[in-house]
Each structure stands twice: as C-alpha cells, then as structure tokens.
Amino acid sequence: MRQTIFCLLLSLCLGWTLWETPAVAVAQSKSKPSDKFRQLDEVLPTPNEYRTASGAPGHRYWQNRADHVISVELDDERQRIQASETITYTNNSPDELRYLWLQLDQNIFAKDSDAFRAQTSGGLDRVPFSVLDSLLRRPEFDGGYKITAVKDAKGQPLRYTVVKTMMRVDLPTPLKPGQQVSFAVDWNYNINDAVKLGGRSGYEYFPKDKNYIYEIAQWFPRMCAYTDYRGWQHTQFLGAGEFTLEFGNYRVSITVPDDHIVAATGVLQNPRQVLTPEQIARLERAKTAAAPVLIVTPEEARRAEQGRPTGRKTWIFQAENVRDFAFASSRKFIWDAMGHNVEGNQVMAMSYYPNEGNPLWEKYSTHAIIHTLNVYSRYTFTYPYPVAISVNGPVGGMEYPMICFNGPRPLEDGTYSARTKYGLISVIIHEVGHNFFPMIVNSDERQWTWMDEGLNTFLQYLAEQEWEEKYPSFRGEPQYIVDYMKSENQVPIMTQSDSLLQFGNNAYAKPATALNILRETILGRELFDYAFKEYARRWKFKRPEPADFFRTMEDASGVDLDWFWRGWFYSTDHVDISIENVRWYRLDTQNPDVEKGLRRQERESRPVTLSEERNKPLPKRVDQYPDLKDFYNRYDELDVTEMDREMYRQFLATLTDREKEILNAGLNFYFVDFKNIGGLVMPIILEVTYTDGTKEEMRFPAEIWRLNNFEVSKLIVTPKEIASITLDPRLETADADLANNFFPRRPVKSRFQVFKEQRQGPPNPMQLERKGQSKPQGDNPRP
C-alpha cells in the first residue's frame, strides 16, 4: 500500500502521473518495419582463410606481382609516346592462369571508346568557348594505344586480344601457382592536350614561349589485378573508377630532349649523365637543408625556355614495391628540394613548377609535401618511400606513387586569392596523401572510390587543421555535408565507382565527414585513432576490401558499429532529429504548506482570458443579494487546514529515511520526446540551459534508438528548472534541420543578398592592397 501511495506522488503539473506513461514498443511492425541496428552479417562477405572475421589478412592471404622494365621516348615535336616494356608476372595465387589481362587505360581517348560514346549531355543554353572547343576536338583526336608487338621471353609473338580498355594475352602453357612468366609489349600513342581535352595526364602548351609541360600517366599497359575476391579485375575504364593494380619493382628509362628536367616515380639512377655538377651539388646540399633548395632556379628555367635542344638524354629511375609509375618532363621546370626525416626514413621532398607558378609554388609546395608526410605517418604508418614529388602542370590534381600533379597557379601579375592559396595547399596535401591510400593501402579503386578518396579526404582534413588555426577546410566538418545529405539525387557510398551520382560529395565529402563524426562523436579520438592506425598497418602493401575496413575498425575499437556503416555507407538517409516535446514532472511532496502554495502561485500566474477581463465589470447577482452566498463562496481549496497537516504527518511516519530524502530533494523530471525525421540514427547530444543561467552537456549514444528507430523519450532528472534545450549544439552530427533542434523553438538566422551580374570578377585582396584600397583581413575565407 505504501509503494502505491509513493508512486502517486510523482504527478505532472498538468495532472499526469508517471505510471500512466505507456511503455515504448519496439519499432517493428508489418506496416512500418525498421531495424537500423541490424547486423551486417548477411551483407558482408563470409570470412575465409584469405580475409578473417576480424578484418585482418588471413593466414593464406596472397597477391600477385608485376615487375617492369620500360624504355620510353617522349617526342616533343609531335607530342607522342613511343615505348616498350618487359613485364615479369608472378602468380602467387592458388589458381592456374591460362591467360593474363592488362589494362589499356589510354584507350579511353580512342575515337570509339565507351567512355566517350556513353557520355550524356545537358543543355546548351550558355557554353564557354573552351567547352565547345573541347566538344569539337574530342571526336577528331585519336589517343588510344597502338600495340605494335606482344612477345614472349624468347621474342616469339604471343596471341593477344584487345577488348576496349583491356587486353588479354593468351599463354602458350598455363601459369601454375608459384610460377613466373616474362613477356614484352611495344606500343605508341598520341598525348592528349590536357587543357583542352581533359584527362588525368597529358600536356599543356604555353603560346608565349612555345613550350610544353608533359604529365604522363596511365601511359603503359599495366597488369590487371587478379584477386581472391573476384578473380581478374577487368571492369572497363570509363573514367570515374580509377585503377586497381599490382605491386612490383620498376626500372624505367625516359628519353627526352636534352634541355628537359624530368620528375618521376622512384630514385634517379644516373644523375651524372643528366644533371650538371652544380645541380648535383645543390641536391646534396638539399638533403640536410632547413628550407627548400633550388636545384633549377627561376632564371635557369627562363633561359631554358628561350633555347632549343641539341640532342636527347635518357633519365633512368628505379622504384621498388610500387603499384604504378608516372613522370613529368619540361624545359620550363624550376626544381626545388628539401630532405626530411619522417620517423626515421630520410625522404627527399621535391617540387617542379614553371615560373608561371611563382610566387605561390616556391613558397608552399615543398612545405606542404613535408607537412603531409608528417601528419599522415602519425595516423597510419611511416612513409616508406625515398622521395615525394609535387608537379605543377595541366592536371588539376592526380596521384601516383611518389609523384603527384597539381594545378593551382597565381594570376599573371603574381597575385592570388585566398581560395587559390588554400586550394594549392589542400590539393598538394590530398594528392601527396594518396601515397598512403591507395598507393600503399592498395584498395580497389575501380570498384570503390570512397576507400581511397574518402579516407584520404578525412586525413587531408586532419592535416589541414594542423597547418594553421582556422584553416578553411571545405570538407570534413559535419555542417558542410548537410545540403548533400538532404538532396534527392544521390546513391549510397557503397555504390560502384562508375555509377556514383554527385561524385565529389559521395566519394570524398560524405565518407570523410562520416569518419570525422566517428572519431569525434561516436568512438572518441583515442579509440578511433588506434583502430584506424591498425587498419593501415594491417593492409599496408596489401589489398583491402570494404568489409576489411569495417571489421577492423570494430575489432580494434571494441565497439559494434554495424548501425553506423549501415546508415552512413549503405543508405541515403540523412540526420534530422527533432525535439518534439518536453513534459515536465515533479514530485508531489504531499506537504500541504508546500504543494498548495505552489498551486496557488500557478493559479495566480495564469493569464486572464479575454472573456474574463470583459466580464469582470458586469454586475453580479450575488453582490446585489448577499444572502445568496454560502460556505463555498468563502471556501478556497488551496487554503491549508490542520487536517491537511495531520494527514501529512501520518504519511511521513510510513516512509523510510531514504524515501524522505527523495521526497524532499526538490527534483524535476523532464521527459524529452525526440523524433527521427531523417532516418539516420545518431547519438543525441544536448545542451541544457537552466533558469539560473548555468549550462550542462548531456550525451546519449545512438543505441538509444535501438528499440524504436523513429521516436524515443529521455528522462532528465535535475534539481534545477530547465529554461531551454538545444540538440547538437556544436554541429557534430550533420543535422539537416536546425529549426527543430531547440525547445522552446527559436528562429534560425539566415541571410540573403542581391547582386548585379558582372562579366569580370572583382580584384582579389592582394591586388587591392597593391593599389592601396584595402588592408589584408585576418580571417581566411573557405576555399
């Protein structure tokens, strides 16, 4: 009986009682099925001896190998490549191979390529001449491979079949497990104008001095990957899905005009044959320099631009345990270098750029390389290669082992906007960072773009934030992904690379943001960093699949994250959690002097209705005839009687000391009702502001939604009265609608502006400063 009476003490100010609150049902019904916490067991591949349930490589993990010896000649007069290679292919698989598949990625520039014919078209309302020029040039340009010979180790022809961007080489005898085979390929192709036709490699022509910068990649027939999870990865190259490759050693001889400077994957083997004694001395000094050293100065590059070659030179590079090889060549290159110790590995960080890139490139490029190696090595593994290179040319941003191509330049007057400056630093961080993902952690780019671009963009964000305070990163912060998350025209992250919609948001921004949220809000930095580093360590120089990443992150952190992967990677749900209602309960102490006093205050604080106000001056009959008044005209139910006090004393006598303590604690009970509008379950993070002005942060894990994915209520017990509640106060979760994140509701500020359309953009701040019209601003705008 006493327990029943005590339960009745918990009464809502409006007359409700706690025990009247209905039980929450599990959100599973025939009309509205949902289980955001359903495990991924039926989605992920079954673990086996090659890939374990923990996400680590299995005890019988294997991968094949392809070693290359290549000779290539760059024709600077006709913009052509003429080359031959010998590939030694090692079959480490348990399978017998009757044929080999090679990638012919340059065939994307063939006249009949699927990539060109499968392009869709928009309207032609407003088209720049550059775009129209490209549309007209593309059908006329033939940049596909011309395969002139495929021979075995004895020089005998091998039968081969070209299938668009792939080539099958038929072997005379099957290649058994553990065996090697060597064969040679000769080929040539026309180099594309990367400025006018686009592409991940090509040339840029400079009309003023009539010179070229060549950035050469996807330039040789490369082995397709043969894997344990799909056999030959020979999905055709359509342009979006990048490259899936095998590791190997490369020795590449590059013949160019004798006044060219060449940058390439690997270490230069014959410096005395291609460099001057002064350049060699400068390189030696750069190894221990505290700042970048000019190997080729701006003045030397200008003189080279005005001259012409007298012959040809062959630059020889050696690269070990890489999955690809790229190079750049031009007489326009300035070259700077700086040695740097990366956790015990001595690395030469080097930049190659024309005078058109200064003063931006000489100031930032090599420093950005070194900064990237430092930060990425700390979060993953020590950068293992001997060089890291950034090249300025026609390609806006593209990555290869030890070398990357980056585009931003200042204006002709040497000034640049903040967008250009930070755009350069960011793209160098991003492309150098690709050495880690996927050049070393060798994911299948043709299938899963996010596994390299998303992870790399996440690390890029971390590196940017360590460059300077308030660095204007435009990917990584949850608030920046909201518009994309709300959009209709999207597919899940777990979509094959060539079928992605909103490519940059899907493969770069969303996975990077998801990992940032996972690090900051779900796991915390310590757990996340340990697990992420373990993933990188496990799959260094190996080939992970998505399941290996998901499983390793859970295995090393000790946290079940299937709900997170399902929501962020397998769905297009967005985050929109609403505070629907707040119900305020408090304990009825049964003390008549307290409770009736509070009820009197509530009664007196109620607003006077319009009718009550207008009815008050009307004559009342009981005032005209006082005899009509009786006991109830002077009775007030909120007056405290001695009988009330006696009943309270009797009630207290039945309570234990603990029950009396609870009764007199003056606690407030707030039931906060939440609604999951966007569908993506996330932790609930609250900032509670009390009437005394103090604030408190409360964090509830995503598992709060496990029994009902759509609506939940949370009880907050506090001795203080709550004035307001804010959901996701520090914008941690990418919540799409901030208007419903407040209780009571408050307006969300926004701004709009009008503008007059201009043909030419306004001067950048550096130009205005030169004219004395403005002063540099302290805050950096987002690029």
Side-chain angles (χ1 to χ4, degrees):
M1 177 64 178
R2 187 178 67 188
Q3 292 177 340
T4 303
I5 294 174
F6 189 66
C7 288
L8 289 170
L9 297 178
L10 296 172
S11 60
L12 178 63
C13 295
L14 298 179
W16 287 50
T17 56
L18 281 180
W19 52 268
E20 289 177 327
T21 304
V24 177
V26 176
Q28 283 287 359
S29 69
K30 292 181 180 178
S31 61
K32 199 175 184 181
S34 176
D35 182 4
K36 306 293 185 180
F37 292 86
R38 185 178 180 181
Q39 296 293 284
L40 289 175
D41 291 355
E42 79 279 14
V43 176
L44 301 182
T46 303
N48 54 44
E49 57 194 354
Y50 307 130
R51 297 167 190 273
T52 69
S54 70
H59 66 280
R60 295 189 65 186
Y61 174 84
W62 58 268
Q63 61 190 32
N64 290 347
R65 179 180 181 86
D67 298 306
H68 293 72
V69 177
I70 308 176
S71 294
V72 55
E73 184 169 345
L74 173 64
D75 185 340
D76 189 34
E77 298 298 324
R78 297 187 297 165
Q79 287 69 59
R80 284 175 55 80
I81 287 288
Q82 181 84 31
S84 63
E85 68 179 346
T86 297
I87 301 175
T88 301
Y89 184 73
T90 304
N91 181 16
N92 293 318
S93 80
D95 307 324
E96 182 179 274
L97 304 177
R98 297 181 55 248
Y99 45 79
L100 308 178
W101 281 97
L102 283 76
Q103 304 183 53
L104 304 181
D105 301 306
Q106 195 64 28
N107 279 358
I108 197 173
F109 285 104
K111 287 186 176 182
D112 62 346
S113 76
D114 282 358
F116 176 61
R117 294 189 300 169
Q119 287 179 347
T120 57
S121 304
L124 291 174
D125 296 333
R126 293 184 66 186
V127 180
F129 273 108
S130 59
V131 173
L132 186 59
D133 187 31
S134 176
L135 289 173
L136 297 175
R137 286 175 181 269
R138 178 61 184 87
E140 300 304 318
F141 177 69
D142 184 6
Y145 284 109
K146 302 297 184 289
I147 304 295
T148 56
V150 179
K151 300 177 181 179
D152 64 16
K154 297 179 180 179
Q156 297 301 309
L158 288 173
R159 182 177 177 180
Y160 66 93
T161 304
V162 174
V163 185
K164 302 176 183 179
T165 59
M166 297 290 161
M167 180 172 73
R168 191 188 72 236
V169 176
D170 299 332
L171 300 176
T173 58
L175 185 65
K176 297 184 180 300
Q179 289 186 340
Q180 286 184 339
V181 63
S182 292
F183 63 99
V185 183
D186 298 343
W187 76 96
N188 63 76
Y189 70 86
N190 297 317
I191 304 172
N192 59 293
D193 184 334
V195 175
K196 295 179 178 178
L197 297 179
R200 288 182 165 87
S201 77
Y203 69 78
E204 176 180 8
Y205 178 63
F206 292 79
K208 287 185 177 181
D209 53 66
K210 296 181 173 57
N211 286 302
Y212 295 83
I213 290 179
Y214 298 92
E215 292 178 327
I216 306 299
Q218 298 93 61
W219 58 280
F220 60 98
R222 302 178 290 178
M223 291 301 306
C224 291
Y226 185 77
T227 71
D228 62 275
Y229 55 84
R230 66 169 297 158
W232 288 108
Q233 170 51 294
H234 47 28
T235 300
Q236 293 291 328
F237 181 39
L238 296 178
E242 292 185 77
F243 314 112
T244 307
L245 302 163
E246 301 285 11
F247 286 108
N249 294 339
Y250 285 74
R251 186 173 181 86
V252 182
S253 300
I254 306 170
T255 301
V256 297
D258 61 6
D259 57 352
H260 272 215
I261 295 295
V262 178
T265 298
V267 176
L268 181 62
Q269 300 297 295
N270 61 334
R272 296 187 183 279
Q273 282 72 50
V274 295
L275 302 180
T276 67
E278 188 173 15
Q279 289 168 344
I280 293 173
R282 292 169 179 171
L283 268 175
E284 188 63 30
R285 189 167 73 251
K287 291 180 180 178
T288 56
V293 173
L294 287 168
I295 313 305
V296 175
T297 69
E299 294 75 19
E300 291 167 343
R302 286 193 186 96
R303 286 198 298 270
E305 288 175 357
Q306 304 308 315
R308 283 296 174 260
T310 59
R312 305 184 73 75
K313 287 182 179 178
T314 299
W315 299 58
I316 302 174
F317 291 89
Q318 180 78 26
E320 296 182 359
N321 208 20
V322 294
R323 64 170 228 163
D324 201 358
F325 191 102
F327 69 94
S329 183
S330 179
R331 63 178 55 88
K332 291 178 64 66
F333 280 149
I334 301 166
W335 174 12
D336 72 48
M338 178 179 171
H340 182 65
N341 188 304
V342 183
E343 298 182 354
N345 180 37
Q346 194 65 26
V347 180
M348 282 294 282
M350 300 187 287
S351 297
Y352 299 75
Y353 45 92
N355 274 284
E356 287 83 354
N358 275 339
L360 202 57
W361 271 74
E362 66 183 5
K363 187 176 183 69
Y364 292 113
S365 179
T366 298
H367 278 286
I369 295 170
I370 292 171
H371 178 70
T372 304
L373 300 183
N374 288 341
V375 175
Y376 276 61
S377 294
R378 191 167 71 250
Y379 286 110
T380 58
F381 44 76
T382 302
Y383 180 75
Y385 293 131
V387 300
I389 297 170
S390 170
V391 181
N392 178 231
V395 179
M398 193 58 203
E399 70 281 357
Y400 305 96
M402 303 187 224
I403 188 172
C404 58
F405 306 152
N406 304 302
R409 289 180 190 147
L411 300 176
E412 287 190 22
D413 63 4
T415 66
Y416 48 86
S417 65
R419 182 185 183 91
T420 300
K421 168 190 170 179
Y422 290 107
L424 174 64
I425 296 169
S426 290
V427 75
I428 292 174
I429 291 173
H430 183 89
E431 306 305 346
V432 172
H434 270 306
N435 277 285
F436 295 80
F437 303 93
M439 300 303 154
I440 297 172
V441 180
N442 185 25
S443 59
D444 185 344
E445 295 180 274
R446 189 62 53 88
Q447 192 73 14
W448 308 113
T449 298
W450 72 266
M451 286 198 74
D452 70 294
E453 298 295 357
L455 270 61
N456 185 43
T457 302
F458 163 68
L459 287 172
Q460 173 192 339
Y461 170 76
L462 299 185
E464 288 172 346
Q465 295 308 302
E466 292 191 35
W467 180 272
E468 67 183 43
E469 188 175 358
K470 295 184 179 180
Y471 188 99
S473 300
F474 72 103
R475 284 171 174 159
E477 282 284 355
Q479 59 184 309
Y480 300 152
I481 199 66
V482 166
D483 288 341
Y484 169 70
M485 296 284 282
K486 291 190 298 184
S487 68
E488 294 293 329
N489 186 33
Q490 60 170 297
V491 292
I493 292 175
M494 287 294 293
T495 300
Q496 194 270 339
S497 298
D498 290 307
S499 299
L500 298 180
L501 302 177
Q502 300 194 60
F503 196 88
N505 281 322
N506 179 289
Y508 293 67
K510 185 178 177 182
T513 305
L515 294 179
N516 191 32
I517 292 172
L518 187 60
R519 182 175 188 249
E520 300 285 18
T521 301
I522 311 298
L523 293 179
R525 292 189 174 189
E526 183 178 359
L527 275 183
F528 178 93
D529 291 351
Y530 181 88
F532 192 82
K533 194 177 184 79
E534 178 64 11
Y535 166 72
R537 185 198 66 79
R538 284 178 174 182
W539 291 97
K540 177 182 177 182
F541 294 115
K542 294 183 177 67
R543 194 190 311 281
E545 278 283 277
D548 303 314
F549 177 69
F550 299 149
R551 285 167 168 160
T552 294
M553 292 300 293
E554 296 190 22
D555 182 66
S557 70
V559 178
D560 180 3
L561 298 171
D562 279 19
W563 64 271
F564 186 83
W565 312 129
R566 183 179 291 279
W568 278 89
F569 287 76
Y570 285 90
S571 84
T572 57
D573 290 345
H574 64 275
V575 182
D576 183 8
I577 301 173
S578 170
I579 302 178
E580 291 290 288
N581 191 32
V582 178
R583 294 169 285 146
W584 180 17
Y585 296 72
R586 62 175 184 172
L587 281 169
D588 187 336
T589 65
Q590 297 290 293
N591 185 336
D593 292 297
V594 173
E595 298 302 325
K596 288 190 174 183
L598 290 172
R599 290 168 62 189
R600 189 184 300 276
Q601 292 177 14
E602 292 168 7
R603 184 176 66 185
E604 292 173 355
S605 66
R606 293 172 185 163
V608 177
T609 68
L610 180 62
S611 295
E612 287 174 338
E613 182 179 322
R614 290 175 175 176
N615 291 337
K616 189 171 184 179
L618 297 178
K620 308 297 188 296
R621 189 169 188 82
V622 293
D623 292 331
Q624 298 174 22
Y625 299 95
D627 291 344
L628 294 176
K629 296 182 179 180
D630 66 359
F631 168 80
Y632 290 104
N633 290 99
R634 63 179 184 272
Y635 171 74
D636 187 342
E637 63 179 353
L638 297 183
D639 290 337
V640 180
T641 66
E642 191 57 37
M643 180 179 295
D644 292 334
R645 294 188 175 98
E646 177 57 29
M647 291 180 63
Y648 176 60
R649 286 192 290 269
Q650 293 176 9
F651 170 70
L652 287 179
T654 67
L655 302 181
T656 66
D657 291 341
R658 174 58 179 163
E659 290 170 339
K660 291 177 182 178
E661 180 185 346
I662 295 173
L663 192 63
N664 296 315
L667 297 174
N668 296 285
F669 297 79
Y670 293 90
F671 279 86
V672 187
D673 301 329
F674 300 97
K675 186 175 183 179
N676 182 1
I677 298 173
L680 194 57
V681 295
M682 287 293 285
I684 292 176
I685 305 158
L686 302 179
E687 181 182 79
V688 177
T689 302
Y690 298 102
T691 53
D692 64 3
T694 60
K695 295 182 178 181
E696 181 180 2
E697 184 180 87
M698 300 180 181
R699 307 178 77 91
F700 309 111
E703 284 75 11
I704 193 172
W705 301 97
R706 68 196 184 280
L707 301 180
N708 189 326
N709 301 165
F710 307 105
E711 297 174 341
V712 296
S713 296
K714 186 63 184 177
L715 173 62
I716 299 174
V717 181
T718 172
K720 299 181 181 182
E721 288 188 17
I722 293 177
S724 65
I725 300 175
T726 302
L727 176 69
D728 193 15
R730 290 189 284 178
L731 307 180
E732 296 179 49
T733 66
D735 196 298
D737 184 2
L738 299 183
N740 58 27
N741 284 21
F742 304 102
F743 196 91
R745 290 285 190 261
R746 67 178 73 164
V748 178
K749 293 180 181 179
S750 185
R751 303 180 72 179
F752 73 96
Q753 62 178 209
V754 295
F755 66 93
K756 185 175 182 179
E757 193 173 45
Q758 298 181 1
R759 291 182 177 273
Q760 187 173 357
N764 66 55
M766 291 181 75
Q767 292 172 324
L768 292 174
E769 173 67 10
R770 288 184 178 183
K771 297 177 181 179
Q773 296 179 17
S774 72
K775 295 182 180 179
Q777 301 297 310
D779 292 335
N780 298 322
R782 288 175 58 205

